Amino acid sequence: MNKWDEIKKRLENLGGSVELMADGHKVKLRKVHNGKKIFVVVYVDDYQKGEWTRHEDGKPVHPEARFWRPVKRAAYRKKGYNQLKRAFGKKKADQMVTPQVIGFVPDFGTEGAVVAHLKKHFPDLEILDSETEFKK
C-alpha cells in the first residue's frame, strides 16, 4: 500500500486522523463534522491561524497556507456574461467571469480531495507514526 492510500484509509472514518511531515512542518489531518457536513480539517504545526487565509496574486502570503484549500471565485457570474460583454468588451468580460483565488481555508470536502492536493504540492511528504515525536 502506498502512502496516499494509507492517508485515505486512516481518514475514511469519522474521527480518523493522520500526522504528516512535509517541508519541515507537521501537518495533522482529521476527519470531523459540524452537525450537517463531514469534512477533513488541516492543522499546521498544531495551529490554524486566520491570518494564513490571505493571498497576494493567488499565492499564499504565509507558507503554512500552502497546505490549505485555495478558494476560487469569479467577480461576476457566467449568467450575466452577455451583458458584461456588451458593456465592457469580450476580453474584460472573460476576466470578470474567470474564477480567481480569493483566499485559503483549512478544510477539504473529502479525503480524496486532500490527498490530491498533497500529492500535487508535496509529493515527498512522509507519514509520521503515532509514537514519533515532532522534532525541529
Side-chain angles (χ1 to χ4, degrees), residues 50-61:
E51 62 199 37
W52 295 349
T53 62
R54 295 186 330 192
H55 72 94
E56 284 182 7
D57 299 325
K59 304 283 188 219
V61 174

Side-chain angles (χ1 to χ4, degrees), residues 70-88:
V71 177
K72 295 182 179 183
R73 297 280 188 269
Y76 293 89
R77 300 172 121 193
K78 284 199 178 227
K79 186 177 178 181
Y81 177 74
N82 289 331
Q83 292 174 333
L84 293 170
K85 194 163 106 175
R86 275 187 244 118
F88 298 102

Side-chain angles (χ1 to χ4, degrees), residues 92-135:
K92 183 69 174 171
D94 286 344
Q95 291 173 350
M96 294 167 87
V97 296
T98 301
Q100 298 172 354
V101 173
I102 59 168
F104 295 87
V105 292
D107 60 44
F108 289 85
T110 65
E111 57 273 8
V114 72
V115 166
H117 178 79
L118 293 172
K119 191 184 282 189
K120 179 179 178 182
H121 298 286
F122 306 99
D124 58 344
L125 64 78
E126 62 183 76
I127 299 174
L128 297 176
D129 294 333
S130 56
E131 306 90 40
T132 305
E133 290 280 327
F134 174 66
K135 297 175 185 170

Side-chain angles (χ1 to χ4, degrees), residues 37-64:
K37 185 174 134 181
I38 296 173
F39 52 94
V40 178
V41 69
V42 180
Y43 296 93
V44 181
D45 297 328
D46 295 326
Y47 290 102
Q48 288 181 340
K49 295 186 180 179
E51 62 199 37
W52 295 349
T53 62
R54 295 186 330 192
H55 72 94
E56 284 182 7
D57 299 325
K59 304 283 188 219
V61 174
H62 299 277
E64 292 86 356

Side-chain angles (χ1 to χ4, degrees), residues 14 32-39 109:
L14 190 62
V32 298
H33 72 92
N34 67 357
K36 299 177 185 176
K37 185 174 134 181
I38 296 173
F39 52 94

